[in-house]
């Protein structure tokens, strides 16, 4: 196995001001990890492999041992750049190719 988990995630914003940039989405997720689990517990690598600006969908990659923490951090995010939001995990898998049809 690859040692990673892959997640197909939808970012749902309360208002559509403008299309978010992937770097800001990643920063929002990392900030949530650090806020919830602290500097050591939340320190991991979260990679945005693909980002669809129009539909606000992204494919994330995270090491297996941080999968549960990432899901918790995504669940607890309630604002993106001051706009109320939520992240919805459409699907998750240890194999990236299984997410290709859903994206």
């Amino acid at each position: 196995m690859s040692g990673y988990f892959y997640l197909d995630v939808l970012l749902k914003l309360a208002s559509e001001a403008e299309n978010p940039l992937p770097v800001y989405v990643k920063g929002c997720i990392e900030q949530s990890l650090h806020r919830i689990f602290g500097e050591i517990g939340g320190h991991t690598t979260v990679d945005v492999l693909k980002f669809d600006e129009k539909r606000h969908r992204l494919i994330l990659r995270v090491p297996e041992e941080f999968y549960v923490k990432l899901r918790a951090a995504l669940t607890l995010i309630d604002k993106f750049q001051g706009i109320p939001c939520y992240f919805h995990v459409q699907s998750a898998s240890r194999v990236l190719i299984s997410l290709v049809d859903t994206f």
Side-chain angles (χ1 to χ4, degrees):
M1 285 302 202
S2 68
Y4 289 100
F5 248 94
Y6 301 91
L7 295 92
D8 178 4
V9 180
L10 172 68
L11 169 59
K12 189 67 176 169
L13 298 169
S15 65
E16 302 297 323
E18 59 184 60
N19 288 334
L21 296 174
V23 68
Y24 292 130
V25 174
K26 180 180 176 182
C28 178
I29 295 168
E30 289 174 343
Q31 184 180 29
S32 180
L33 279 164
H34 288 290
R35 186 175 59 244
I36 297 164
F37 298 106
E39 190 67 32
I40 296 172
H43 184 69
T44 187
T45 303
V46 177
D47 298 314
V48 178
L49 300 181
K50 185 166 180 157
F51 187 73
D52 183 342
E53 291 181 12
K54 293 180 183 177
R55 297 187 307 160
H56 300 163
R57 286 190 61 185
L58 53 150
I59 300 287
L60 297 175
R61 178 177 67 181
V62 67
E64 271 186 51
E65 59 270 13
F66 284 95
Y67 169 71
V68 173
K69 289 182 179 183
L70 177 63
R71 290 288 300 248
L74 289 172
T75 302
L76 296 173
I77 296 173
D78 64 345
K79 287 198 185 338
F80 176 75
Q81 295 183 334
I83 301 170
C85 74
Y86 67 90
F87 284 83
H88 176 71
V89 177
Q90 306 277 33
S91 59
S93 176
R94 286 188 168 99
V95 182
L96 178 60
I97 195 77
S98 66
L99 301 181
V100 170
D101 292 337
T102 64
F103 203 85

